Amino acid sequence: QKAASIIQLSFKIYKTRKMMQSGLAVFIQSRCKGSLERKRFLSLKRAVQFVEDRHCYRLHCRQKELMLLQRQDAAVCIQSVFRRYLIRMKNRKSNAALVLQTHYRKYRCSEEFKRMKSAAIVIQKNYRRFRIQKKYQNLKRSVLIIQ
């Protein structure tokens, strides 16, 4: 039995040497390494895909959250403007005296403006007349000097 074991071992060694010499062993080793590398690569690819999916999901959730906050801010802004408008309208309706006062002030200002405008026109008219009179007097004087 010992002799058979020795013969088998010797045969295995011989076969292994033959396979190594023929390049079969290198082929098998490269196949094994290639298979292991492919498994490792696919595992890394799945891990990267998982991380990318999580990142995109979080990014999408963050964008949704930002949009929701913007909508809420816009709604609050619109509500506050509308409430201010309602208060303004209520105050305008309830303050009839204020409306009358503003119309009276407007009327008084327009009357004062008309008065000032007519006064300015009178002043301009008198100044023009004065200038023309001065020119006429100068012309008359020069004519008298010439004669």
Side-chain angles (χ1 to χ4, degrees), residues 15 66 69 76 80 97 99 113 127 132 137-138 147:
K15 269 297 216 190
L66 286 174
L69 288 175
V76 167
S80 67
V99 171
F113 176 75
Y127 179 72
I132 291 173
Q137 286 173 358
N138 285 339
Q147 285 178 358

Side-chain angles (χ1 to χ4, degrees), residues 8-114:
Q8 285 174 354
L9 182 63
S10 296
F11 182 73
K12 283 181 185 175
I13 291 172
Y14 169 76
K15 269 297 216 190
T16 305
R17 282 187 187 151
K18 273 291 197 195
M19 280 183 12
M20 283 187 178
Q21 286 173 356
S22 68
L24 217 80
V26 173
F27 177 74
I28 292 172
Q29 287 175 349
S30 69
R31 284 295 183 142
C32 285
K33 285 182 182 176
S35 175
L36 290 174
E37 281 300 313
R38 177 150 177 78
K39 284 181 184 177
R40 191 172 144 273
F41 171 75
L42 291 175
S43 170
L44 284 173
K45 187 176 176 183
R46 280 192 299 270
V48 167
Q49 186 67 39
F50 176 76
V51 170
E52 285 178 351
D53 289 346
R54 290 293 289 173
H55 177 69
C56 287
Y57 176 74
R58 285 183 180 164
L59 188 64
H60 181 68
C61 286
R62 197 173 303 138
Q63 287 174 346
K64 271 188 168 179
E65 194 173 306
L66 286 174
M67 282 179 53
L68 181 65
L69 288 175
Q70 287 175 346
R71 285 182 182 169
Q72 287 174 345
D73 289 344
V76 167
C77 183
I78 290 170
Q79 287 171 353
S80 67
V81 168
F82 184 70
R83 286 183 187 130
R84 266 187 271 149
Y85 171 76
L86 288 178
I87 290 171
R88 224 179 297 129
M89 287 296 124
K90 183 179 177 184
N91 287 340
R92 281 186 186 168
K93 287 179 182 177
S94 65
N95 295 333
L98 184 65
V99 171
L100 290 174
Q101 288 171 355
T102 56
H103 285 290
Y104 177 72
R105 280 192 215 111
K106 178 184 166 190
Y107 167 75
R108 196 172 59 191
C109 286
S110 69
E111 288 298 316
E112 186 178 347
F113 176 75
K114 287 177 188 175

